[in-house]
Amino acid sequence: MRRLSRYAARAGSASLLGLEVPLLLLWALLASILSAIAANVRDWNAMSDELVYERLAISVWQLRSPLPHLHGEVVRSLAQLYPLLISPWFAAGYVPHDLVHAHIFDAWLMSSACIPAFLLARRVTGRRWAAYLLALVTVCTPWIVYTTTLLTEVAGFPAFMWAMLGMHHAATRPSWRSDLLAVLGVALAFFARTQFVGLIAVLPAALLVYHASRHELRAAARRHLLLVCVYVVLAVAAAAAVVSGHRLSSLSVYGNLNPGLFPAGWEGSVTGHLADLAFGIGILPLVVGVAWLIANVLRPPAAAAAHAFACIAAATTTVVVLEISAWDLGPGTFVIDRFLFYLAPLLLLAFVCALLDARKPRWSLLLPAALVAWGFARHLQKDFLWSGQFPLSTDSPIALPYKWFADLGGGKSGASAILVCLTIGATVAFVAAARFVRPAVLTAVLAILLAVALPADTAYAFAKLFSRDGHAVRPLTQSEAGILDWLDRAVGTGAKVTAAPYAVSTAHLVTLKFWRDLEFWNKSVRYGIHYPPGLYADAVIWFPNNAVTFDRRSGRASRSLTPFVVQAVGETRFRISGTARLQTTDVMLIQASMPWRTDWLTSGLYGDGWTPPHTTAHIHVFAAPGQRGPVMRTLTVQLRAPNEAPDRPFAIAWRHGSIRARANDQNNVVEQIPLCVPGRGFADVRVSSPVSSDVGPDQSQLEPLPHRPGGVLVADISLADEIGGPCKP
């Protein structure tokens, strides 16, 4: 038995590359389980974020550049670490196969956060079991479902934990090497997610509090000389940026949505975010963990490692919660806990530290308990995230269990009341248990509960993820190989195609999903045209517009982007000249004539084809390439009346004729127009309706007005390929 114990001790202390072998085995086990789960996800589930990072990864190989490119242009995004890491998986092959390999890699990458979590816990607590517990619960949290997505959270999580470990090392073992590791850790986190720009402030603030409370500021300043130099350089650079009129937020694709640090309502948002984060890790760990941090910052413990951790974790929690609470007021009033979950390992470690500490938190529990209770009472997570009407939210994977409490309490108010009572009751119970239960027993019971509850909650999140269709309204496990990657299979992944988003349905969301799918599943889509600028911009939101204009006298394009263009079958703005190589129900693949020109061009229509009231729309039909004189062409126009307006008059006029008729709201009225198109210039066709009524929101706008007047819908325009005989214009 003694020999077996010695072998077990040796195995437990064996190391590889400076890491304990059991830790590496734990990581391999967790990553293997996660990769087996993630490999089943064969579709996107978070648009258009996943599209952005997938295209950034693809562009690394297409352009042979590590810089962030979208639609061939360098974009203002510094969160390039994750796209660079997954780019090898998108180097060859079709996207449906590459996506599975990227998800498997995600599982190994994100779960690697358990390594810095273990090392940090081992330093802070000095206990191996506590370090293994933190390594386990760092991975086994509901937010690990991000391994099934292409989001920067996957790389941001381990990068954040390495930054925390680097800061702790710099505090407890000050030297130029430690400073360098801390700076590199913060830089790594920043390039993983620009959200972590706040860590630049956390590092000096935490070190200042730590060294000041230990009365060693002067000595620390000498030891952190490298850090002082780095921050002097950063201060000068920041001042220069401000003077030149730049903002740090402009370095992110989300920068224009930043509402500032303290927008109106930020106080309530803070309590709501704390409550939601507490809900995600079991309420008590956050309350007790924050209380321990407060107590150990204000009343430093003898152990330097614990004190340094308290300073770093307290500063990080404060900065991240304030930053995200303000940010979330921009997109809405709900909590986007995908930006908060990085704090979970720190708070869980603080909770474990409180269990091991002889000085259990008491009075310091009042503040976090009050904030969390107030958050549940007044700022409970929005019910659209947990009511069940939508799939598992990638913005808040922990939200679904709120429904348990809503069902139990008879609604949202009842859920708030139950959670407030649970917060207060759990806090009081902890104080009582800390006084009357032996510390070893209390620590063992709560540690076991933590080790069981969080993995169970994680399993529940995955079960819900697979229980219904994803946000693409398709089964997440269904492969789209040979279906949605039709364009790559037609022209090859190395081809160059330009997409021109336009309505393919009367439902705006259907149109958005179609064009997002086209770009997500096909590497050959290199550029995108929003014509005029701003129309259908939300189809590939955050992407630059490869603007193209047309000469209204000749039809020539201002630039020629690619040999292939994808346009909607029902396009009513312009039609790139060329041969239709392939046509589906919704779009056609055009092999464009080079240089680009348009067969026809419209003006005076809404972006989705409706005629505005009291406005005459024009269709300019241009000469064909190589045409030397006037010839006859046939233009076909399809018209439809608005819903509930079954009899709408319209008029079509051109130089040699006119048509007056009525359209209905059931079938498109098809009119064929014989035109004499001159060798230079264009033939003009005019479309109008004397009557207008509400035709609904403009499908082409990012934020359409709910109502607008319109006459008739120009549902389709087509120009016959056949060229007739000569004519007199």
Side-chain angles (χ1 to χ4, degrees):
M1 193 67 180
R2 291 180 180 177
R3 183 177 299 176
L4 183 61
S5 299
R6 287 197 300 269
Y7 287 151
R10 289 177 183 175
S13 60
S15 64
L16 180 65
L17 300 176
L19 299 173
E20 293 187 8
V21 170
L23 172 62
L24 296 176
L25 292 176
L26 175 63
W27 173 38
L29 174 63
L30 295 173
S32 298
I33 295 172
L34 285 172
S35 61
I37 297 171
N40 291 310
V41 177
R42 298 168 182 264
D43 208 337
W44 57 261
N45 200 32
M47 273 294 175
S48 57
D49 299 58
E50 287 193 76
L51 176 60
V52 169
Y53 300 117
E54 180 227 31
R55 298 310 300 196
L56 288 172
I58 291 173
S59 72
V60 170
W61 288 93
Q62 287 179 335
L63 302 178
R64 299 294 190 268
S65 171
L67 298 178
H69 285 83
L70 293 174
H71 285 178
E73 298 181 15
V74 177
V75 294
R76 52 182 177 86
S77 174
L78 292 184
Q80 186 69 352
L81 177 63
Y82 179 64
L84 285 172
L85 290 174
I86 65 170
S87 62
W89 308 112
F90 290 95
Y94 295 111
V95 170
H97 302 98
D98 297 345
L99 183 65
V100 175
H101 298 149
H103 285 161
I104 293 172
F105 175 72
D106 281 355
W108 287 86
L109 176 60
M110 192 171 184
S111 63
S112 70
C114 70
I115 295 175
F118 173 91
L119 298 174
L120 182 61
R122 184 71 184 273
R123 285 172 174 268
V124 174
T125 66
R127 289 172 171 82
R128 182 178 279 112
W129 70 263
Y132 278 108
L133 173 63
L134 188 69
L136 174 68
V137 297
T138 293
V139 177
C140 296
T141 59
W143 296 285
I144 205 69
V145 297
Y146 291 128
T147 55
T148 64
T149 64
L150 301 180
L151 296 175
T152 54
E153 281 76 2
V154 175
F157 193 34
F160 176 83
M161 292 308 300
W162 282 111
M164 293 297 104
L165 182 62
M167 289 185 188
H168 190 266
H169 187 74
T172 55
R173 301 177 185 178
S175 68
W176 71 267
R177 290 187 180 89
S178 299
D179 287 353
L180 180 61
L181 288 175
V183 170
L184 291 177
V186 171
L188 181 73
F190 174 75
F191 287 110
R193 281 188 63 82
T194 50
Q195 164 194 345
F196 296 138
V197 65
L199 296 184
I200 296 175
V202 166
L203 178 56
L207 291 178
L208 181 64
V209 173
Y210 171 73
H211 290 300
S213 59
R214 304 185 81 82
H215 308 292
E216 51 185 31
L217 269 180
R218 290 186 178 180
R222 291 192 299 270
R223 294 176 183 174
H224 292 295
L225 186 59
L226 175 62
L227 205 57
V228 171
C229 294
V230 168
Y231 273 85
V232 168
V233 172
L234 288 176
V236 172
V242 171
V243 169
S244 60
H246 293 84
R247 296 187 306 165
L248 191 59
S249 60
S250 66
L251 300 177
S252 168
V253 293
Y254 300 103
N256 61 322
L257 299 179
N258 186 9
L261 188 56
F262 298 109
W266 70 272
E267 306 93 333
S269 183
V270 166
T271 59
H273 281 69
L274 281 174
D276 188 65
L277 184 58
F279 184 78
I281 59 175
I283 301 178
L284 186 63
L286 183 138
V287 172
V288 175
V290 170
W292 184 86
L293 293 177
I294 294 172
N296 283 269
V297 169
L298 299 178
R299 187 181 59 180
H307 184 210
F309 169 70
C311 294
I312 293 167
T316 304
T317 301
T318 301
V319 168
V320 171
V321 169
L322 287 176
E323 177 189 7
I324 301 308
S325 298
W327 160 259
D328 284 351
L329 289 173
T333 56
F334 64 97
V335 178
I336 305 179
D337 53 67
R338 60 181 276 199
F339 301 152
L340 278 179
F341 80 96
Y342 306 97
L343 299 176
L346 301 184
L347 297 173
L348 292 171
L349 177 54
F351 176 61
V352 173
C353 288
L355 297 180
L356 296 173
D357 200 333
R359 306 179 303 175
K360 296 291 190 292
R362 296 178 60 186
W363 294 108
S364 59
L365 290 166
L366 290 176
L367 179 60
L371 291 175
V372 170
W374 184 261
F376 283 138
R378 300 299 300 273
H379 303 280
L380 193 70
Q381 181 66 291
K382 295 297 182 181
D383 55 2
F384 76 89
L385 292 166
W386 48 263
S387 61
Q389 60 180 313
F390 297 112
L392 181 77
S393 172
T394 52
D395 282 332
S396 181
I398 63 170
L400 288 179
Y402 280 113
K403 194 173 187 301
W404 304 344
F405 298 95
D407 292 341
L408 184 62
K412 188 174 180 180
S413 298
S416 292
I418 293 173
L419 289 169
V420 169
C421 292
L422 278 176
T423 301
I424 297 173
T427 304
V428 172
F430 178 80
V431 173
R435 184 170 184 179
F436 297 109
V437 177
R438 284 194 305 150
V441 174
L442 177 63
T443 299
V445 169
L446 291 179
I448 291 172
L449 283 176
L450 196 64
V452 172
L454 280 178
D457 194 20
T458 304
Y460 175 77
F462 275 112
K464 285 298 183 181
L465 177 70
F466 290 106
S467 67
R468 58 186 297 180
D469 291 350
H471 290 276
V473 199
R474 296 184 291 259
L476 285 172
T477 56
Q478 174 181 296
S479 175
E480 300 302 327
I483 304 172
L484 294 181
D485 58 345
W486 62 270
L487 182 58
D488 275 359
R489 293 179 184 273
V491 299
T493 58
K496 296 181 179 180
V497 180
T498 298
Y502 186 78
V504 297
S505 169
T506 55
H508 188 53
L509 292 179
V510 173
T511 293
L512 295 190
K513 188 163 77 72
F514 176 86
W515 292 103
R516 290 171 178 178
D517 274 335
L518 181 72
E519 184 139 6
F520 184 86
W521 296 105
N522 296 279
K523 298 178 183 179
S524 55
V525 177
R526 303 289 189 96
Y527 302 95
I529 298 174
H530 303 300
Y531 178 88
L535 298 191
Y536 301 97
D538 47 351
V540 281
I541 196 168
W542 315 125
F543 283 49
N545 175 26
N546 303 120
V548 173
T549 58
F550 299 97
D551 188 318
R552 292 191 172 275
R553 293 171 297 179
S554 65
R556 292 176 181 172
S558 60
R559 58 196 298 202
S560 303
L561 293 171
T562 59
F564 295 99
V565 180
V566 174
Q567 286 194 266
V569 171
E571 176 68 76
T572 61
R573 299 170 301 173
F574 63 91
R575 205 289 202 172
I576 294 293
S577 299
T579 304
R581 282 270 307 270
L582 180 66
Q583 182 168 325
T584 69
T585 305
D586 300 310
V587 295
M588 64 178 71
L589 173 64
I590 301 169
Q591 186 166 2
S593 301
M594 304 297 280
W596 278 12
R597 58 185 306 280
T598 179
D599 287 339
W600 49 262
L601 182 69
T602 64
S603 61
L605 291 173
Y606 284 124
D608 55 353
W610 287 94
T611 60
H614 314 299
T615 300
T616 298
H618 294 262
I619 307 172
H620 291 179
V621 180
F622 299 101
Q627 180 179 327
R628 296 185 174 249
V631 295
M632 292 299 298
R633 303 291 299 272
T634 300
L635 182 73
T636 302
V637 180
Q638 298 185 27
L639 302 172
R640 184 171 64 80
N643 294 334
E644 302 177 358
D647 191 29
R648 178 59 54 86
F650 67 86
I652 301 177
W654 62 101
R655 186 174 182 84
H656 298 294
S658 64
I659 298 172
R660 293 183 181 275
R662 292 180 176 274
N664 60 57
D665 63 345
Q666 299 298 320
N667 302 303
N668 293 339
V669 175
V670 180
E671 300 290 353
Q672 292 188 336
I673 303 165
L675 291 175
C676 184
V677 182
R680 292 184 178 181
F682 56 87
D684 184 31
V685 178
R686 302 177 297 280
V687 181
S688 62
S689 175
V691 182
S692 64
S693 61
D694 181 24
V695 295
D698 189 344
Q699 298 293 316
S700 66
Q701 298 292 336
L702 181 60
E703 296 181 357
L705 296 174
H707 304 286
R708 57 170 174 160
V712 291
L713 173 67
V714 180
D716 182 61
I717 301 173
S718 59
L719 183 65
D721 293 333
E722 294 79 13
I723 297 178
C727 60
K728 291 184 178 181

